[in-house]
Amino acid sequence: MTGDAEARPLRAFSPWTNPGFRRFLGGLSLDLIGDQVWFLALAWAASDVGGPQAAGLVVAAGSVPRMLFMLWMGSLVDRVGALRVAQVAQVARSLVMAATCATATTGKLPLIVLTVSAVAFGIADAARLPAAGAIPGLLLPTEGRVRGQGLVQACARLALVVSGPMAGVALAVGGLSVAAGANLALFLTAFLSFRGLRTYLAAATANPQQKSSVRAGLKYVRGQPPLVLALITATFLNLALLGPLNIGVVLRSETAGWGSGSLGIVFGVFGAASVLGGVMSARIATPARPILSAAGWMTVSSLGFIALGFTDDPVVTGSALALSGFSLGPAAARLTGFLQAFTPRETLGRVMALASFSTFGLTPVALSAFGFMAAKFGLDVAFIISGVGCLATGLIAACFPLARRPILHFESHAKGVRL
């Protein structure tokens, strides 16, 4: 295999031409919108009862089960099948919404009830995340998984844009009861959409006899340096940027006195740029070096976050976030797509559980770390440290020979054959 041949991008494949993947994207979009509406409505209801501190505690309680159970749920995905686990989790989430909708009609729910609802939803989410993460790897051929993740990222960013106004309208109309009812409709529609995937996933049957323990999955990953590099890169990317995006910009709005309107526009610009970045990464050819390409996009994104430490102007902040948001789409798509392309199907649930853990399970750690830096060193320094962390992660990942090594035949990797 010559160097010139290895340097060419993978052969073109449009994931949008796969009808099963289109159905999956439709159900996933509804699912993600419902997720965001739930967390916003839960925080609003808890704050209404016990103030901001209660809101933080209730939302944190819902994130703990995801952190504790996600890896074991990934093992379950490999044992019984991704679609089955995703559907059972969807039923559980729908039941939580139905119970919340019914009980909230009687008035404000006490904090203990909200906490129980958050924990139950978190347990179901711990199963849904690795299951939904594994399904694209079962639906798409190897050469289409990186581009397919571009569309997945676009759906995730679009959900962030849509969910805020939707939650606001639902809470204004009828409070938590209406928000939970709207979510119930979204989750049931997503369930029906995923149900239609059975035909397309018929060949991806589970094998209950296979060795699908968490320990076996971790042992497999440890023996695959490309997987380790991609997972570590994704983890540090999320740790660096979850804080600035989730609480940093909100704190900036409060200290600079922007007002809710400017804050909404800034987040809207970030969301729109993120969607464009995800769509763009789905349109262009998959690069021959996906990890190196992701590292390059990470360095671009880091510049926008570093810039946030030098301005409190909403226009400049929105421009910096647009640059970062557009760049994050291709970075995340290449890392996740590489994980799916490199991983054998019988291990996909556990590997995607690790990837989901780095994104969702470590969210409390990332938020706490950013809050500590903002309190200790100031908000400007916290933004700069986070951006430099993202930049360093991209540069260090690019220095590894594995990141610079062209990979054409992902299918050979997935079968355990080393190029």
Side-chain angles (χ1 to χ4, degrees), residues 86-115:
Q87 291 294 73
V88 171
Q90 196 72 330
V91 170
R93 284 149 49 94
S94 298
L95 291 174
V96 172
M97 290 301 103
T100 303
C101 179
T103 54
T105 57
T106 61
K108 293 182 181 180
L109 297 180
L111 287 179
I112 184 62
V113 175
L114 294 174
T115 302

Side-chain angles (χ1 to χ4, degrees), residues 58-260:
V58 170
V59 173
S63 67
V64 170
R66 295 195 303 189
M67 189 164 51
L68 293 178
F69 300 123
M70 195 176 294
L71 297 183
W72 281 265
M73 293 300 182
S75 175
L76 185 65
V77 168
D78 288 332
R79 187 176 297 116
V80 305
L83 183 58
R84 182 179 298 178
V85 173
Q87 291 294 73
V88 171
Q90 196 72 330
V91 170
R93 284 149 49 94
S94 298
L95 291 174
V96 172
M97 290 301 103
T100 303
C101 179
T103 54
T105 57
T106 61
K108 293 182 181 180
L109 297 180
L111 287 179
I112 184 62
V113 175
L114 294 174
T115 302
V116 170
S117 298
V119 170
F121 192 89
I123 294 173
D125 237 16
R128 182 195 65 89
L129 288 168
I135 288 176
L138 303 175
L139 287 172
L140 296 175
T142 306
E143 65 272 13
R145 292 174 190 171
V146 174
R147 297 180 71 184
Q149 280 302 310
L151 293 175
V152 171
Q153 294 297 319
C155 289
R157 307 304 179 187
L158 184 62
L160 290 174
V161 176
V162 173
S163 58
M166 182 175 176
V169 171
L171 292 171
V173 170
L176 182 61
S177 178
V178 172
N183 266 7
L184 178 60
L186 289 173
F187 289 159
L188 290 178
T189 306
F191 175 86
L192 295 176
S193 181
F194 281 10
R195 185 179 177 84
L197 295 177
R198 289 182 300 177
T199 302
Y200 304 99
L201 293 175
T205 55
N207 180 12
Q209 303 302 319
Q210 70 180 357
K211 193 176 182 180
S212 55
S213 66
V214 174
R215 188 173 183 178
L218 293 175
K219 182 178 179 181
Y220 170 79
V221 171
R222 189 171 64 248
Q224 300 291 335
L227 285 183
V228 174
L229 177 59
L231 283 169
I232 291 177
T233 303
T235 298
F236 278 94
L237 171 66
N238 290 317
L239 285 175
L241 301 185
L242 284 173
L245 288 175
N246 285 278
I247 62 175
V249 178
V250 176
L251 292 175
R252 175 69 81 196
S253 172
E254 294 177 353
T255 57
W258 292 353
S260 58

Side-chain angles (χ1 to χ4, degrees), residues 171-372:
L171 292 171
V173 170
L176 182 61
S177 178
V178 172
N183 266 7
L184 178 60
L186 289 173
F187 289 159
L188 290 178
T189 306
F191 175 86
L192 295 176
S193 181
F194 281 10
R195 185 179 177 84
L197 295 177
R198 289 182 300 177
T199 302
Y200 304 99
L201 293 175
T205 55
N207 180 12
Q209 303 302 319
Q210 70 180 357
K211 193 176 182 180
S212 55
S213 66
V214 174
R215 188 173 183 178
L218 293 175
K219 182 178 179 181
Y220 170 79
V221 171
R222 189 171 64 248
Q224 300 291 335
L227 285 183
V228 174
L229 177 59
L231 283 169
I232 291 177
T233 303
T235 298
F236 278 94
L237 171 66
N238 290 317
L239 285 175
L241 301 185
L242 284 173
L245 288 175
N246 285 278
I247 62 175
V249 178
V250 176
L251 292 175
R252 175 69 81 196
S253 172
E254 294 177 353
T255 57
W258 292 353
S260 58
S262 296
L263 179 62
I265 292 173
V266 166
F267 274 124
V269 169
F270 171 79
S274 300
V275 172
L276 289 176
V279 172
M280 183 274 294
S281 64
R283 295 286 298 174
I284 62 177
T286 300
R289 302 172 176 87
I291 298 180
L292 185 63
S293 175
W297 284 107
M298 286 169 60
T299 59
V300 176
S301 183
S302 68
L303 299 178
F305 285 101
I306 292 173
L308 297 180
F310 295 94
T311 181
D312 60 1
D313 182 78
V315 175
V316 179
T317 299
S319 301
L321 284 176
L323 173 66
S324 296
F326 182 83
S327 306
L328 281 175
R334 276 142 176 71
L335 288 173
T336 307
F338 176 80
L339 289 173
Q340 291 185 345
F342 194 94
T343 305
R345 287 188 168 189
E346 61 269 17
T347 320
L348 195 55
R350 282 162 288 177
V351 171
M352 294 314 298
L354 286 170
S356 298
F357 182 82
S358 75
T359 303
F360 300 100
L362 294 178
T363 298
V365 177
L367 299 185
S368 300
F370 185 87
F372 171 80

